Amino acid sequence: SMPGLGTGVVGFEDVTGAEADDVELIDRVDRVRRSDLALRVGTALLLIGAFIGALAAGPIWITLFLAAIVIGAQGEFYAAVREVGFSPIAIVGLVGGATVLAGAWTGGPFAAAGFLGATVVATALWYAIVPRRYPLSNAGITIFGVAWVAVPMSFAIPLFRAPRAFQIVLALVLITAGTDVAAYFFGRSFGRSRMAPVLSPNKTWE
């Protein structure tokens, strides 16, 4: 038994590179994974309910829902890169992400691109005023958080404001979620050929 393993996030095979021989340990890991699946399903149902409610309430509410997701995702990204030694200016990135979404709401994708440019300028000014180590790398990471998370999501906002937005957006989300769930269960049932054993041990070509 190894403390911290079998939590559903890190498994025995992720650490050792081999399957556990202990049948009791394998059974315990399987039970944890099943309970983890139940937690995932419950969380997904709550998010789906909130999403459909915001979508039905109108464009401004679903845009605010999207903004909360974007800010949360950016925060998670900045926290992750800090763990490997980078020092992004999270406040500049988070404000930049919010302004990109606001620009998409007021003026469409071109306005969002303008706010991304403003974020680049603001980041450069920040590092010019407050010297830090490795400014180019950390400035790039700060801007990348906006460009990777907020900019693609901003393209959803015109869909929220389109005629028949509820039907269009719901169809897109259901198709995406359906294929993702189907791939997950198909891979668990029939997956044999590992795609990237080191980076993602459970991902298979199937």
Side-chain angles (χ1 to χ4, degrees), residues 50-107:
F51 168 77
I52 293 175
L55 185 60
I60 185 65
W61 292 104
I62 187 62
T63 300
L64 291 174
F65 182 83
L66 178 75
I69 292 174
V70 166
I71 297 303
Q74 278 188 258
E76 186 175 349
F77 169 73
Y78 291 137
V81 296
R82 279 200 178 98
E83 292 183 2
V84 292
F86 290 100
S87 300
I89 307 300
I91 185 64
V92 174
L94 295 174
V95 171
T99 56
V100 163
L101 296 179
W105 174 268
T106 57

Side-chain angles (χ1 to χ4, degrees), residues 9 13-14 194-204:
V9 177
E13 66 277 3
D14 297 325
R194 293 189 175 187
M195 182 185 296
V198 176
L199 295 177
S200 184
N202 296 322
K203 185 79 69 182
T204 62

Side-chain angles (χ1 to χ4, degrees), residues 85-87 127 132-140:
F86 290 100
S87 300
Y127 279 100
R132 294 194 177 197
R133 293 187 305 165
Y134 312 115
L136 187 59
S137 298
N138 290 315

